[in-house]
Amino acid sequence: MKNQRDKLHQYQKRIIIITDRETAIAKECLAKGDKSKALLALRRKKFQESLLAKTDAQLETLEQLTSNVEFASVQKDVLFGLRQGTSVLKQIHAEMGGLENVEKLMGENEEARQYQQEVSELLKGEMSNQDEDEVEDELEKLQEEVQGKKDEAELVVQSYPAMPGNEPVFAEELKQKARATQRAKERKVAQAMEPMLA
């Protein structure tokens, strides 16, 4: 179609050259006093102009058709992209196992979390405050080992022999009281939640 359009453009240029030449011929004939030849040249010019008008109409139709074809090609590409996207979404949904599988997995996850919470609550109830403190101390030590960092104050205190005084003991007592207060709060919350869960 683009080749046809280019040929029509070339044809239009030729017609314009011919009409200009026919006008020049008519002027020459009038200058010589040959009115009949001038009239013939103007008729040929008029015929060429009518061909030019037809060519313009054909060219416009061809350009509209070219635009429609290009737009249809874009629509086809968009449709193909939508089809591929829908196919990928279907595959993903199939891999997920559908909505029921997701709901089941979420339910299992919630059940596992509740079970772990119940086990933690039971273990807390079985342990004394001293056992709880030891477990929390051990947890802190493990965290420090994993991180590879130890508190500088502890390193300084451990590198020197124990000195008589209340500061290290006082800090330890504060730590134990804070833990005991925290456990008491947790137990109150657990007791308040028990009627709701039952």
Side-chain angles (χ1 to χ4, degrees):
M1 283 194 297
K2 291 183 181 181
N3 290 338
Q4 292 299 323
R5 184 183 61 194
D6 293 342
K7 286 180 182 178
L8 283 173
H9 279 298
Q10 290 172 357
Y11 184 63
Q12 281 181 323
K13 287 178 185 176
R14 261 188 290 146
I15 291 174
I16 291 170
I17 291 170
I18 291 172
T19 55
D20 290 344
R21 194 174 74 219
E22 292 295 339
T23 304
I25 291 171
K27 286 180 184 179
E28 284 177 20
C29 290
L30 282 177
K32 291 178 184 176
D34 193 358
K35 189 176 177 181
S36 63
K37 284 187 178 180
L39 193 58
L40 181 64
L42 289 175
R43 284 183 183 145
R44 284 192 305 243
K45 177 186 172 190
K46 192 68 171 170
F47 175 72
Q48 293 297 327
E49 286 175 346
S50 69
L51 288 178
L52 185 62
K54 289 177 185 176
T55 306
D56 284 340
Q58 289 174 348
L59 188 61
E60 184 181 343
T61 303
L62 189 60
E63 286 178 351
Q64 284 178 350
L65 185 60
T66 303
S67 295
N68 290 342
V69 167
E70 289 174 354
F71 185 69
S73 177
V74 169
Q75 284 179 323
K76 184 189 94 172
D77 291 343
V78 168
L79 186 63
F80 180 73
L82 287 172
R83 190 175 294 133
Q84 281 187 322
T86 302
S87 175
V88 169
L89 280 174
K90 285 181 180 178
Q91 284 178 331
I92 291 171
H93 290 161
E95 289 173 9
M96 289 173 52
L99 186 60
E100 296 83 18
N101 193 34
V102 172
E103 288 174 349
K104 180 182 172 189
L105 183 62
M106 295 300 287
E108 289 173 359
N109 186 26
E110 181 61 24
E111 288 173 8
R113 189 191 64 74
Q114 287 177 355
Y115 177 76
Q116 180 62 38
Q117 189 175 0
E118 288 174 13
V119 169
S120 294
E121 291 299 322
L122 286 173
L123 288 176
K124 276 186 185 178
E126 297 293 320
M127 297 176 117
S128 68
N129 284 345
Q130 184 179 357
D131 291 340
E132 268 305 316
D133 290 342
E134 289 173 3
V135 167
E136 289 181 15
D137 287 340
E138 187 175 352
L139 176 65
E140 286 178 12
K141 286 179 185 176
L142 286 175
Q143 285 175 333
E144 289 172 359
E145 285 178 20
V146 169
Q147 293 174 356
K149 297 177 183 176
K150 288 199 173 193
D151 189 20
E152 291 179 20
E154 285 184 354
L155 289 175
V156 170
V157 169
Q158 289 176 2
S159 64
Y160 292 107
M163 293 178 56
N166 290 342
E167 284 186 70
V169 175
F170 181 68
E172 188 62 34
E173 285 177 9
L174 282 177
K175 199 182 215 184
Q176 288 177 355
K177 284 182 182 179
R179 287 181 184 162
T181 304
Q182 181 65 27
R183 278 193 298 278
K185 286 180 184 177
E186 289 174 1
R187 285 188 183 125
K188 284 181 183 176
V189 169
Q191 288 173 353
M193 294 291 283
E194 281 180 15
M196 288 186 199
L197 295 175

